[in-house]
Structures are given as structure tokens and as C-alpha cells.
Amino acid sequence: MSVALLDTLKEGKLMTPEPREIARHKAAIVRNALSRPVRYALEAGLLKEGDSFFDYGCGHGLDVRLITEKGFISHGWDPHYFPDQPQQPADVVNLGYVINVIESEPERRAALQKAWSLAQRVLIVAAQVLLGDVGKGQLAYGDGVVTSRNTFQKYFEPYELKNYIDSVLGVDAVPAGFGIYFVFREETEAQAFRAQRFRSHSTVPRVKKHSKTFEDYRALLEPLMQFFSERGRLPIKGELANEDSILTEFRSFARAFTLVEQATDAQEWAAITEKRKQDLLVYLALSRFGRRPKPSDLPSPLLTDIKAFFASYRQACETADAMLFSLGQQNTLSECCRASRLGKLVGNALYVHVSALDLLDPLLRLYEGCASRAFGQMEGATLVKFRTDKPRVSYLFYPDFETDPHPALQASMQADFQGLRVDYRDYSNSTNPPILHRKETFVALTHPLYQKFARLTKQEERWGLLRETNTIGNHEGWQRRLCECQCVLKGHRLVRLKGDSLSDTSM
């Protein structure tokens, strides 16, 4: 399809001469596993014990059956496959890939509103988003296309989908993945979910100074240590299950924590506090894009966090806004990328493994958060690419990153902040895809495979394989380099070719 035709299609200007009878039911896909939206909801913990689930437009009903097997009360309705089933309220309602197959805009809107009316806690909305050419041989119809199977598809622009949900329902939908949004009935639950997405991981500092006094109270103090590592502060009344026992023994949490600090490294606890403070600033900065919550909209633990780290909620928001506005200066982002101790800087971009995102400078975390909030993060993303010269963030998918010594790029998704659009590229059928080298540079030192990756890089450097960087960035160039050096890879080790046999000289 030409660019001009696609632009016309997006604007809704091109119509078929006569109305068509669209076979909506043929859009229902036969699957053997949970749909992506429902899987995301489970992984996010939205379905809790005793919750009910309803699938509005359930197609063949697989999600209903699989959710029932997981112990939840589950029902579904579909106008073609299950028309006689009642449309009933539930804690969690799924509207998965329904609005994009409805060719009538008023019916599309009505379906979204009806599903929302049934959702008592959370509505899941998923729709097809436009990642490139919608394909040849499809007939433009209304604001979408008619496929060869006589089904209709409305391909939303990524940012358009959120705007549509928000405008129809009067909400601020939360992106959960690419083309998938959660809409919460209660604002406190929405804010808890948003904040949790930007909570970095911390572990309880190790005990370094063993003493009889600490060991005597260790079992009593461990819940306090765990709480502090999760929230970066001491608990208030009612937040700790064994608080009565601790207060009986020590009279205050502060006195109890003094004993903890004596047995551990106090600086590590201070670092956790600072990390939690930065987590909150990233969350509050991103809330500026929607309806920034009032203090009364925040769950109690989150509001207590803010009060512990900042003079006031207002001061926390002002600090967060200053961070956000600084992203408008491209040189600020460039300096952050170049100064980053994490990731691999190549030309005008910093590449970081997704497992290390929460260890980055808060400004870079906020930069990526702007992309994932607006468009959703690419499923299975391996690396995040931060451009230093343009306001763009890319998600790169290397499915064999951990097992392949030089994994090939399978797909990429670039979020352009200026154009509010997403560009997608598929390399899965390429015979000469880009590949990675020096994998340890993308991950943190704490990554479980860091040493394994680093050993291979050192060996490749000794054997001279990495000298000509301009020729080894793709599969074919790398294979030629291996042949020139008369070696092959055996897992994450190099072995020499000797005649028709392999000689392992990696050690």
C-alpha cells in the first residue's frame, strides 16, 4: 500500500462505494495459550484470589477456560460464538482485540463503554496497532481495511489508541504493553500500579559484623530489614506484622534499626533510600503527562513514602517536574548517556540491557519511562537504545541473548517523541541481520552471566577477532572474520580449526 493511500486511510477519507457485510466472527483467532492481554494482567497481579473475570467478546472462549482452570470465577460473551451467555459484571473485564475488528465507529465506542460498565476494578483493552505497511491486497474501508477473509481491521497508531480509550471513557489508561492498556476503577489502585512499575530492585544488605546481640535478635529484625529494603524507610504504625514484638523489645523502630546498621553497612541502607527517592521522582514526573494525582488519590504506603523523602507532596512534584523539563535539553540527555557507567555507547546511542534499566541515571530511566508510558514497551525487548542526538528510544529484540554468543537482531521498535509515532522493523527473515559483540557491556556487573560474556570477549580480543569493528557488525561479516582467523565458536568459547577437526585452545 502506498504512503499516500495509507495517509488517506488514517484520516478516514477513503470509503468503499457500497456498505459491506463484514464477517466479524472470522477475526477470532484459535489459540492454544492465554492471550497476551490476559497474560499481562496475570503477571501484573491484577487477578487476586477470589476475583471474578469476564471476557467481553471472548471469541472461541479459550481465555475463559484457562482462567477458570487457574481457580478464578470466569465467564465470557461473544456475539457469534456465545451469544446466549449473560454479560455480567466482574472484577476484571477483558476487551481483547475487539474494538479493532468493529467497522462501525459508533458500535466500536459502544463496545468499549459497555465493557467498562461491567468492570468493577480493572478493564483490559487491547487493539491492533500500526507498525508499518498494513499489507497489500486489503481494501480500504471506513477508517480501516477489509482483509482477504472479509474481516475488518482498524489499525490504531500507538498514541492514538490511548487517546481513544481516554476520550471515550474519560480516564487515564495505563499502558501495560504495546497496544495493551489497563483502566482502573479506583484511582488509588491505578497509582499503586504506576508507581510499582518504576520501583527498582534492591536486596537486603549482607550482615558484615556478627555480634551476639544482633544474632539474638536477628529473626525479630529480619522483617524490618526486608521492609526497609523494599520502601527505603522505616515503617509507621500498622505497616509491619511483628511491630508489637519489635516495639516491646526496642521501644521504637529507629532504636531497632540502629542495631541493624551496626551489623551491616549503613551506606548500603542510605543508597536504598536514595534509590527509592529517585523511583518516586520518576513516577511523579511521568504523572505530569496525565492527571497528576492528588494526595488523596495515592495509596497510603505511597503517600507515606513521599512524606518520608520530601518536605511535602508539592515539593516532590516540583522536583520531579524539574527533572522532566530537563529532558527537553538534548545536550542533557547526551551528557547522561556519555557519562553512564552502564551500557555500551556506540556512536550517537547508548545501548542497555533491560535488566539494568533501574540501575541507570534517573534521567535516563525517566527518558525510557516517557516512551513506555506513551507507547508501551515492546514485548520481549532485550536492549533499550537511547539516542543522544534525537528524542528517540528504541527497543531491540534479541531472543537468544543469553545462549547465543553473538545473537542476531530479530526485531526493533523505535519510539519517536517528536512525531509521536513508532517505527517497527522485522529482521526475522534477513540472511544478514545485525549481531552483538561484547555482551557484558550491555548488562550490569551483577548479571549472572556477566563473567561468562566477559571471558569470551577477552578471548576474542586475544585472537584479534574484534579489531575491524566496521566489518563484523552483521552475520556475514562476522562469519568471514571467523574463517579468516580459522576458528569457530563452541558455545561461549573459541576453538581453532585444525584440518577437519577442532582444536580447543581457549584456555
Side-chain angles (χ1 to χ4, degrees), residues 49-323:
E49 185 177 356
D51 278 354
S52 56
F53 172 83
F54 185 78
D55 198 349
Y56 187 91
C58 62
H60 299 282
L62 182 64
D63 281 337
V64 174
R65 179 166 62 82
L66 294 179
I67 289 296
T68 301
E69 291 175 359
K70 291 182 179 294
F72 298 101
I73 303 167
S74 181
H75 300 282
W77 170 86
D78 188 272
H80 180 83
Y81 295 100
F82 299 97
D84 298 326
Q85 294 298 313
Q87 298 177 13
Q88 55 194 66
D91 295 303
V92 178
V93 172
N94 179 46
L95 186 70
Y97 305 107
V98 170
I99 60 175
N100 53 279
V101 302
I102 300 176
E103 72 281 4
S104 165
E105 203 288 323
E107 287 187 58
R108 189 185 304 155
R109 177 182 290 264
L112 180 56
Q113 291 171 332
K114 178 60 177 180
W116 176 232
S117 72
L118 298 174
Q120 296 180 321
R121 275 189 38 245
V122 188
L123 172 66
I124 310 165
V125 182
Q128 297 285 0
V129 290
L130 191 66
L131 288 173
D133 197 329
V134 295
K136 297 180 180 180
Q138 295 179 325
L139 177 66
Y141 187 90
D143 59 355
V145 294
V146 176
T147 71
S148 59
R149 300 174 64 227
N150 199 33
T151 63
F152 174 84
Q153 283 292 346
K154 156 69 175 171
Y155 291 94
F156 289 86
E157 292 281 1
Y159 205 76
E160 177 194 7
L161 178 56
K162 174 174 167 53
N163 285 344
Y164 182 73
I165 298 169
D166 291 354
S167 63
V168 171
L169 302 182
V171 297
D172 185 12
V174 182
F178 199 59
I180 301 173
Y181 290 85
F182 296 154
V183 186
F184 293 88
R185 184 67 67 180
E186 295 295 331
E187 187 63 21
T188 53
E189 189 172 1
Q191 296 306 324
F193 178 80
R194 289 184 188 277
Q196 185 61 37
R197 293 186 68 195
F198 298 102
R199 182 178 294 277
S200 55
H201 176 71
S202 290
T203 57
V204 177
R206 290 187 306 107
V207 174
K208 296 181 178 180
K209 301 173 185 177
H210 291 274
S211 68
K212 186 177 185 307
T213 304
F214 175 77
E215 294 301 332
D216 287 344
Y217 291 107
R218 185 167 188 163
L220 181 65
L221 294 173
E222 280 179 346
L224 177 62
M225 296 165 68
Q226 185 64 43
F227 181 93
F228 197 106
S229 70
E230 291 174 358
R231 307 214 72 91
R233 61 173 174 83
L234 293 174
I236 62 173
K237 186 173 178 59
E239 288 189 314
L240 203 61
N242 69 336
E243 71 174 41
D244 289 343
S245 300
I246 291 178
L247 295 178
T248 298
E249 194 66 42
F250 293 95
R251 291 185 292 181
S252 73
F253 290 125
R255 286 171 61 91
F257 200 69
T258 298
L259 184 57
V260 171
E261 290 182 309
Q262 291 172 355
T264 56
D265 187 339
Q267 291 185 347
E268 292 186 34
W269 294 107
I272 290 175
T273 296
E274 180 60 25
K275 184 180 289 188
R276 292 289 171 258
K277 182 178 179 179
Q278 297 299 334
D279 292 345
L280 283 174
L281 287 175
V282 172
Y283 153 70
L284 288 172
L286 292 172
S287 72
R288 173 88 185 195
F289 288 109
R291 303 171 183 173
R292 174 162 280 166
K294 303 184 295 291
S296 59
D297 293 330
L298 302 177
S300 179
L302 186 57
L303 185 58
T304 303
D305 291 345
I306 293 172
K307 291 178 178 178
F309 302 142
F310 302 95
S312 65
Y313 179 63
R314 179 178 179 179
Q315 192 259 330
C317 291
E318 289 174 351
T319 304
D321 286 347
M323 280 180 59

